[in-house]
């Protein structure tokens, strides 16, 4: 490890570190626009200039200069100060002075660094150049005259998303960043370029002119649009969440989130249930809470109660419902709404055991029944990293655009018993082989065959467990930990013919199978479940309550409450607690703290943040049958009630997936 001196202080830096990284290790702030820790080095903004000896007597770009033994680095010399002022002056030559109307104002790198490192005036008085606006779809607003050609957006699209949709045209003063064919960016992570843009060239189209950053209350939360559990920040003003931004967590989402996670936010205020409803003479009519609980008490179901949990609910809600059903004498609990009935006796067999970050280290990967790009965009970015490091990817299922080299082995599951020669050779030679089993594979009963394949190719080794199941629902792993799984799936609930079915925001269930049951729907949107319900009790969305979520790798995470639920809606656990009183039973808690403590006592892993331990991987039996003809997700942008209520997600679906065109006002 080389030793270098930064502003007179000697430090030791890792081999291969750049001068910029050495300066940061020494606690020095180095301005930059093009450099980003997760992207390749471009070295084209020149803002990170420092003075280095030995070397030429001129400022050098620290982001692209490797460290070497004995270097003397100066970040505060007069030469460096003058050079940075000069670079900033050049960057501002053509930049429009429209900060008061720019959505980036208040959180703009160019603003901050112009104040900290720039001159107080400009010597350039020539006319500024202008660049025509580019259309990048319904999510990204462009004002390309502001662009300083840092190329972060270009490198993100090529390296992280794997879709070469954004690039640079022309040269010199005429250079422009654009989508080559003037069309929308269509990949599922496209809006991350908004966070990456250090100026106001790329901003959020749905959020345009909504608020200033200093007006917003910021709350830490967890994304529920898929099972990855991305760490997010909710920015709210008053009683409305205005935007969702990613938080850095290298173990889960790094600093990215999917477009759906970011832009389904407007669905939180639309099609909301804000008062109780009762079905009378075949029609739903508004009611009071007292009338709703009176209707529930009249059901008098005794032990004939079942609970089905939706994809977005937190663990506290599921535990409260389990406590209510248990107090009534029932254990009919199910969270797999669409009918999956895979064996859950060992949670290790249905967990993403390598971890989201760990899958990057795999060198041979078999994907069975999963369209990863739509089911888990954040896992897709990890798989791209693995492929860049030499991993070979094989897929069982219908073909899809993978954005990396992948060999499709057909749709017949029999291939799991005898892999083709190239796949078998790759797995036998692999040091860290991995398998990813998706929802389509689980639905076709491939779990046993995949467990057998795991034993055959030794997917579990010292320090490595390559057997992974990729879920799609934020509530799935938490529900399985709480026992929301019948041996025969939801079919067991249908056979039991319960007098009362409690639906916890379950909108994917075929409720015609429960025609003889009284359906009590506890949810936050007027979606499919509410249309089938006999009693609707308005609940809180994920942004309106604290809660515990477990992602597909078994990572327990806590989310905070950002805003209050609208109208008469209440937090789910309070509704279930009041239902217990109406039904004359005791559930053992009277406060959220009491509920969380009871849940932690029953399932200790849910009482602390971090990865849960599910034990050893069980053995399976070979002999897979059937074929995977399709994947569960038909429309990436409309997979849950919040997204379906979102105008932005509806437009994304119509424009990006179905080819509809939307004229702008001037057209």
């Amino acid at each position: 490890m080389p030793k270098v001196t930064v502003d007179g202080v000697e430090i030791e830096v890792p081999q291969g570190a750049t001068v910029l990284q050495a300066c940061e290790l020494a606690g020095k702030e180095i301005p930059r626009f093009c450099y980003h820790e997760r992207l390749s080095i471009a070295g084209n903004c020149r803002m990170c200039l420092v003075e280095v000896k030995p070397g030429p007597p001129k400022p050098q770009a620290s982001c692209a200069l490797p460290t070497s033994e004995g270097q003397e680095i100066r970040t505060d010399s007069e030469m460096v100060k003058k050079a940075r002022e000069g670079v900033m002056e050049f960057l501002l030559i053509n930049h429009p002075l429209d900060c008061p109307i720019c959505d980036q104002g208040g959180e703009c790198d160019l603003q901050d660094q112009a104040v900290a490192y720039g001159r107080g005036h400009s010597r350039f008085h020539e006319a500024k150049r202008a660049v025509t606006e580019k259309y990048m779809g319904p999510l990204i607003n462009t004002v390309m005259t502001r662009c300083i050609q840092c190329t972060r957006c270009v490198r993100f699209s090529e390296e992280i998303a794997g879709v070469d949709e954004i690039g640079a045209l022309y040269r010199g003063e005429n250079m422009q960043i654009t989508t080559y064919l003037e069309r929308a960016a269509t990949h599922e992570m496209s809006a991350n370029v908004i966070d990456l843009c250090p100026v106001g060239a790329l901003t959020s189209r749905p959020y345009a002119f909504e608020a200033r950053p200093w007006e917003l209350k910021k709350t830490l939360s967890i994304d529920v649009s898929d099972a990855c559990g991305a760490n997010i920040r909710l920015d709210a003003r008053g009683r409305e969440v205005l935007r969702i931004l990613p938080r850095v967590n290298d173990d889960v989402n790094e600093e990215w989130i999917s477009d759906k996670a970011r832009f389904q936010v407007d669905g939180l205020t639309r099609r909301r249930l804000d008062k109780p409803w009762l079905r009378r003479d075949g029609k739903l009519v508004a009611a009071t809470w007292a009338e709703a609980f009176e209707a529930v008490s009249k059901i008098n179901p005794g032990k004939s109660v079942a609970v089905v949990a939706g994809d977005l609910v937190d663990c506290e809600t599921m535990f409260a419902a389990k406590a209510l059903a248990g107090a009534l004498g029932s254990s009919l609990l199910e969270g797999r709404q669409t009918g999956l009935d895979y064996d859950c006796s060992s949670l290790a067999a249905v967990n993403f055991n390598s971890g989201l970050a760990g899958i990057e280290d795999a060198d041979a990967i078999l994907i069975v029944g999963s369209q990863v790009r739509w089911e888990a965009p954040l896992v897709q970015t990890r798989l791209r990293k693995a492929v860049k490091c030499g991993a070979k990817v094989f897929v069982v299922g219908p073909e899809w655009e993978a954005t990396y080299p992948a060999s499709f082995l057909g749709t017949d599951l029999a291939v799991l018993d005898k892999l083709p020669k190239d796949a078998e050779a790759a797995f036998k030679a692999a040091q860290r082989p991995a398998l990813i089993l998706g929802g389509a594979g689980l639905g076709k009963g491939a779990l046993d065959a995949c467990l057998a394949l795991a034993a055959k190719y030794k997917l579990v080794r010292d320090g490595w467990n390559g057997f992974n199941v990729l879920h799609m629902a934020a509530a799935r792993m938490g529900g399985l930990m709480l026992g929301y799984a019948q041996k025969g799936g939801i079919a067991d609930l249908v056979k039991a013919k319960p007098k009362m079915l409690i639906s916890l925001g379950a909108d994917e269930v075929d409720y015609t199978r429960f025609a003889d049951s009284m359906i009590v729907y506890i949810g936050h949107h007027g979606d499919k479940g509410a249309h089938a319900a006999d009693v609707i009790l308005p609940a809180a969305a994920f942004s309106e309550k604290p809660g515990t979520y477990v992602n597909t790798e078994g990572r327990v995470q806590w989310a905070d409450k950002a805003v209050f639920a609208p109208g008469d809606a209440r937090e789910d656990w309070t509704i279930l607690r009041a239902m217990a009183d109406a039904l004359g039973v005791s559930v053992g808690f009277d406060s959220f703290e009491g509920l969380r403590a009871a849940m932690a006592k029953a399932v200790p892993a849910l009482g602390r943040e971090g990865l849960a331990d599910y034990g050893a991987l069980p053995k399976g039996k070979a002999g897979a049958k059937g074929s995977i003809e399709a994947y569960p997700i038909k429309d990436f942008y409309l997979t849950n009630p919040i997204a379906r209520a979102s105008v932005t997600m509806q437009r994304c679906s119509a424009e990006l997936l179905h080819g509809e065109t939307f004229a702008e006002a001037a057209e």
Side-chain angles (χ1 to χ4, degrees), residues 266-279:
D266 63 318
L268 289 169
T269 57
R270 291 178 168 86
R271 293 173 59 181
R272 287 301 300 270
L273 298 172
D274 59 0
K275 64 181 73 173
W277 295 79
L278 296 176
R279 189 173 296 279

Side-chain angles (χ1 to χ4, degrees), residues 347-561:
L347 292 184
V350 291
N351 186 50
F352 204 93
N353 293 292
S354 70
L356 299 181
I359 197 66
E360 294 178 11
D361 299 326
D363 47 8
I365 304 167
L366 177 65
I367 301 172
V368 181
S370 178
Q371 211 275 47
V372 183
R373 270 188 74 174
W374 280 10
E375 294 174 15
L378 296 172
V379 174
Q380 177 76 352
T381 64
R382 305 280 192 178
L383 292 177
R384 281 186 52 77
K385 285 188 183 182
V387 171
K388 282 182 182 179
C389 293
K392 295 182 179 179
V393 178
F394 305 91
V395 183
V396 178
E399 292 193 18
W400 46 278
E401 189 180 349
T403 74
Y404 46 75
S407 300
F408 286 84
L409 307 181
T411 60
D412 192 348
L413 286 172
V415 73
L416 296 176
D417 296 333
K418 185 171 178 57
L419 293 179
K421 289 183 178 179
D422 55 342
E424 187 164 28
F427 269 80
K428 284 183 176 178
Q431 298 298 310
R432 295 196 166 191
L435 180 147
I436 298 176
L437 175 60
L442 288 171
K444 292 294 184 178
L447 180 58
D448 248 4
C450 287
L451 287 169
L453 188 144
K456 180 178 180 181
Y457 293 107
K458 298 180 180 177
L459 266 58
V460 181
R461 308 180 181 189
D462 287 342
W464 176 254
N465 186 339
F467 185 84
N468 303 301
V469 170
L470 184 60
H471 297 292
M472 294 175 286
R476 183 69 75 246
M477 283 306 293
L480 295 180
M481 291 171 73
L482 288 166
Y484 274 75
Q486 299 295 309
K487 189 173 182 180
I490 205 163
D492 284 2
L493 272 60
V494 176
K495 289 177 185 175
K497 296 182 178 179
K499 286 185 180 179
M500 180 169 73
L501 177 70
I502 301 174
S503 171
L504 305 176
D507 293 290
E508 318 304 329
V509 176
D510 179 6
Y511 285 103
T512 58
R513 303 170 73 187
F514 295 96
D516 298 328
S517 305
M518 185 163 192
I519 299 168
V520 179
Y521 181 79
I522 303 174
H524 41 79
H525 276 76
D527 207 80
K528 303 171 187 175
H531 286 282
D534 299 300
V535 179
I536 297 176
L537 304 177
F542 77 98
S543 58
E544 298 154 2
K545 58 186 175 182
T548 301
Y549 297 91
V550 186
N551 73 355
T552 191
E553 63 177 347
R555 186 179 298 276
V556 180
Q557 302 182 107
W558 293 334
D560 293 330
K561 177 178 180 176

Side-chain angles (χ1 to χ4, degrees), residues 215-288:
E215 297 178 285
L216 304 173
K217 183 184 78 169
K218 300 166 179 62
T219 307
L220 307 184
S221 190
I222 302 298
D223 170 44
V224 297
S225 66
D226 58 32
C228 291
N231 288 213
I232 58 174
R233 191 185 86 195
L234 306 177
D235 286 0
R237 183 177 61 193
R239 298 188 66 163
E240 184 178 356
V241 177
L242 294 180
R243 68 174 177 179
I244 295 175
L245 295 177
R247 288 189 287 132
V248 177
N249 187 328
D250 289 334
D251 293 328
V252 183
N253 58 305
E254 298 179 285
E255 58 186 83
W256 321 121
I257 53 173
S258 70
D259 291 350
K260 180 167 57 180
R262 186 187 299 265
F263 287 115
Q264 68 177 7
V265 61
D266 63 318
L268 289 169
T269 57
R270 291 178 168 86
R271 293 173 59 181
R272 287 301 300 270
L273 298 172
D274 59 0
K275 64 181 73 173
W277 295 79
L278 296 176
R279 189 173 296 279
R280 290 175 178 158
D281 299 325
K283 293 183 179 181
L284 287 168
V285 296
T288 65

Side-chain angles (χ1 to χ4, degrees), residues 170-340:
Y170 317 124
R171 300 181 68 182
E173 187 187 23
N174 297 318
M175 180 178 170
Q176 298 181 21
I177 302 295
T178 179
T179 51
Y180 294 116
L181 302 177
E182 291 287 332
R183 62 188 179 89
T186 55
H187 60 83
E188 301 76 29
M189 305 280 286
S190 65
N192 286 287
V193 298
I194 294 168
D195 298 330
L196 288 172
C197 184
V199 296
L202 304 177
T203 54
S204 169
R205 185 180 287 266
Y207 178 69
F209 312 119
E210 287 288 331
R212 288 298 194 184
W214 54 84
E215 297 178 285
L216 304 173
K217 183 184 78 169
K218 300 166 179 62
T219 307
L220 307 184
S221 190
I222 302 298
D223 170 44
V224 297
S225 66
D226 58 32
C228 291
N231 288 213
I232 58 174
R233 191 185 86 195
L234 306 177
D235 286 0
R237 183 177 61 193
R239 298 188 66 163
E240 184 178 356
V241 177
L242 294 180
R243 68 174 177 179
I244 295 175
L245 295 177
R247 288 189 287 132
V248 177
N249 187 328
D250 289 334
D251 293 328
V252 183
N253 58 305
E254 298 179 285
E255 58 186 83
W256 321 121
I257 53 173
S258 70
D259 291 350
K260 180 167 57 180
R262 186 187 299 265
F263 287 115
Q264 68 177 7
V265 61
D266 63 318
L268 289 169
T269 57
R270 291 178 168 86
R271 293 173 59 181
R272 287 301 300 270
L273 298 172
D274 59 0
K275 64 181 73 173
W277 295 79
L278 296 176
R279 189 173 296 279
R280 290 175 178 158
D281 299 325
K283 293 183 179 181
L284 287 168
V285 296
T288 65
W289 278 106
E291 291 171 337
F293 286 130
E294 183 182 357
V296 169
S297 65
K298 283 182 179 177
I299 301 172
N300 191 23
K303 295 182 179 180
S304 187
V305 176
V307 182
V308 58
D311 291 346
L312 310 183
V313 294
D314 54 292
C315 292
E316 285 83 357
T317 297
M318 290 187 282
F319 181 79
K322 179 180 180 179
L324 175 59
L328 291 167
S330 173
S331 60
L332 289 172
L333 311 170
E334 184 55 71
R336 299 165 294 179
Q337 303 179 62
T338 54
L340 295 175

Side-chain angles (χ1 to χ4, degrees), residues 149-182:
Q149 284 99 37
C150 71
T151 67
R152 282 185 178 182
C153 55
V154 177
R155 284 174 284 147
F156 173 84
S157 296
E158 292 179 356
E159 297 164 15
I160 307 298
V163 183
D164 296 342
E165 292 181 331
I166 302 176
L169 297 180
Y170 317 124
R171 300 181 68 182
E173 187 187 23
N174 297 318
M175 180 178 170
Q176 298 181 21
I177 302 295
T178 179
T179 51
Y180 294 116
L181 302 177
E182 291 287 332

Side-chain angles (χ1 to χ4, degrees), residues 125-147:
H125 302 288
E126 288 76 17
K128 294 176 180 286
R129 76 162 188 166
V131 181
T132 57
E133 308 308 349
K134 314 300 179 188
Y135 183 68
M136 291 191 182
L139 303 178
I140 305 170
N141 188 51
T142 63
V143 184
M144 299 312 292
T145 303
R146 299 172 186 158
C147 179

